Structure formats: structure tokens, C-alpha cells
Amino acid sequence: MTVDAVERAQVGQLLAQWRRRRGISQLELANLAGVSARHVGFVETGRSQPSREMLLRLAEHLDVPLRDRNTLLLAAGYAPVFQEKALDDPAMRPVLDAVRRVLHGHRPYPALVLDGRRTIVASNEPFDRLFTAGVAPHLLAPPANVLRLVLHPDGMAPRIVNLGQWRAKLLTGLARRAALDERLRPLHEELLGYPCDQPVPELHVPGPDEIMIPLELRYGDRELSFIGTIATFGTARDLTMAELIIESFFPADDRTAAYLAGS
């Protein structure tokens, strides 16, 4: 097999993995991309070399993250098209200004901004006051990782009432992302070694009336309950911007809402 054939097979295998991950058939992908199912099959088996434009079109319909689209391009012998600017790059200033406005406007509820490695980029005062109370300084020193902050025994973990549930939730999500992004694998291995004094379910089976897993947090003599939501930049074409996450927390019960309204 020639080098070109090997590269075609590699990019085809990657595309097939993403298609299966998204749970769609070759025919469904072909219809979305406006090509024949036969052509998609040939690309996946390495019998056909996709153009750069076709590869990007297929990746768009598979909702492949930008970083992984660069990987597909490289596997096919093309140069990456998505760049990665540092957060202190002048071009990123409007983005950072926007997220700071979001954080400010979310008060009195906690919110923070994370990058692709779950490093804390920015946070608002309610998050700093409620979530980092009693946390060891070394966990807050930049670059502070929010997963380490939550699960470390010197972090939030002792104050999380339902720590077992949250440990299972966070580690399951991190394992899924680490399978695609090798940068996260050392962090996953580190967090697996943290102690937990509660049962950690391998699979959480929801009860008939359960619609979410709230974050139940002790704060002084109170127990506060939060719902978490996540927002991203849907039209980003820069890797750093595409991987930014705005995580916002809302009160999950009337008691928490009343306390936050008066704080």
C-alpha cells in the first residue's frame, strides 16, 4: 500500500469513528452533505481521497470539534485551517469583554469561564465567595483547574453533599473527552486517585421524578442547591474561542434562591 493510500485509510477511519459516535448512517451523512452514500463509503474505506472542502463539509455535518477537524485535515495530507490564538492576543479582547459582561450580569448567581482543559479563565464574585470558600490556595493559583478544584480533598469536595454523584458525573464526562483529547488524559488519571468518602455509582439510574443532578453545597451552616448550565460560542473559528465554556449556576430550590437574592 502506498503512503497516499495509508493516509486515505487513516482519514477514512477517523471519519467513520466520528460518524458512529454521532449515531448516523453513511446514507444519512451523505444526504446531509449532498453526496452519494457510495462516495462516503469509499472515503471511509480509503478507496477515495476527499478534497479539503469535502472533508470540512463532512466534518461540519458530523459536528466535529475544530481541533479534531485539523486532525482530519492532517491525516488527509492537508494543512490545518483552524488557528489557535492566546487569550492575551488583541484579537481575543472582544471575546473576553463579552464573557466578563456575562459573568457580571449573572450576579447574584455564580458563573465562570473555562478553556478546553477546564482551566478557569474568569469567574464572578458569587462563584469566588460561595464555591472557593475554604479551598487550599494552591488549588486556586493559576492555572487553576475547575475539576481539580471540585474533586480535590483540599478543594470543594468536603463541602459537596452529593459528592459521589458529582464525582461519577465529572469523571465520566472527563473520560469521554480524554478519549478524544490526549491533553486531558493525565488530568483524568490524577483525579481518579482522589479519595471519596461516598459511594460512586458506575451508572446513575434516575428516579421517576428526577430531572437533573443538582450540586448540593455546604456553605457555613447552610446547604445550597444549584443547577448548572453551559454555553459556548457557536460560530467560533478559532480553537481557543471554540473551546471556551461559560458555566452558569442557578438556584435549584426556593431556599437557595432566597439566600442568593439577599446576599
Side-chain angles (χ1 to χ4, degrees):
M1 183 179 290
T2 66
V3 172
D4 287 345
V6 170
E7 289 179 344
R8 287 199 300 270
Q10 288 176 341
V11 71
Q13 291 167 9
L14 290 173
L15 274 172
Q17 289 171 10
W18 278 106
R19 179 180 57 77
R20 289 191 291 267
R21 195 173 288 133
R22 298 306 187 221
I24 65 175
S25 67
Q26 289 183 347
L27 179 59
E28 289 170 323
L29 177 58
N31 289 336
L32 289 170
V35 297
S36 69
R38 178 184 176 89
H39 182 60
V40 172
F42 278 11
V43 169
E44 289 189 358
T45 59
R47 295 180 64 184
S48 177
Q49 167 72 2
S51 67
R52 185 178 71 163
E53 291 70 23
M54 175 56 64
L55 193 54
L56 289 172
R57 188 191 310 174
L58 293 172
E60 180 74 23
H61 288 295
L62 290 171
D63 195 25
V64 177
L66 299 192
R67 190 175 298 277
D68 295 286
R69 296 186 199 189
N70 277 347
T71 300
L72 287 171
L73 290 167
L74 286 169
Y78 301 117
V81 299
F82 301 104
Q83 303 302 310
E84 184 171 16
K85 293 183 174 63
L87 284 170
D88 58 1
D89 189 294
M92 294 294 291
R93 182 174 178 179
V95 177
L96 294 179
D97 287 345
V99 297
R100 289 189 183 106
R101 291 189 188 99
V102 171
L103 295 181
H104 180 80
H106 195 63
R107 298 178 305 167
Y109 306 144
L112 72 163
V113 181
L114 308 170
D115 68 12
R117 300 189 188 191
R118 300 308 186 260
T119 300
I120 299 175
V121 173
S123 57
N124 65 6
E125 185 276 333
F127 177 87
D128 296 339
R129 175 169 49 88
L130 298 171
F131 282 36
T132 68
V135 169
H138 70 89
L139 294 173
L140 299 173
N145 183 279
V146 73
L147 299 178
R148 188 179 287 118
L149 174 72
V150 171
L151 296 180
H152 197 285
D154 294 333
M156 292 172 58
R159 295 195 296 124
I160 298 177
V161 177
N162 55 339
L163 178 61
Q165 284 183 313
W166 266 78
R167 179 181 170 87
K169 173 183 180 296
L170 295 180
L171 289 182
T172 299
L174 181 58
R176 186 167 55 247
R177 292 191 298 272
L180 305 175
D181 187 346
E182 63 182 14
R183 301 174 305 162
L184 297 174
R185 292 171 191 169
L187 177 64
H188 181 247
E189 290 299 318
E190 175 190 337
L191 300 188
L192 281 174
Y194 289 176
C196 180
D197 60 1
Q198 297 182 18
V200 180
E202 292 186 12
L203 177 65
H204 180 71
V205 179
D209 299 320
E210 186 177 19
I211 61 172
M212 62 179 178
I213 301 176
L215 175 63
E216 298 171 0
L217 186 66
R218 297 184 188 92
Y219 181 67
D221 58 354
R222 297 179 174 84
E223 285 190 7
L224 305 178
S225 186
F226 296 94
I227 301 171
T229 66
I230 288 176
T232 59
F233 291 90
T235 59
R237 284 297 177 262
D238 173 83
L239 295 180
T240 301
M241 183 178 177
E243 292 177 350
L244 286 179
I245 292 173
I246 303 173
E247 189 160 8
S248 307
F249 293 88
F250 295 87
D253 56 34
D254 293 339
R255 182 183 68 253
T256 302
Y259 173 72
L260 294 177
S263 61

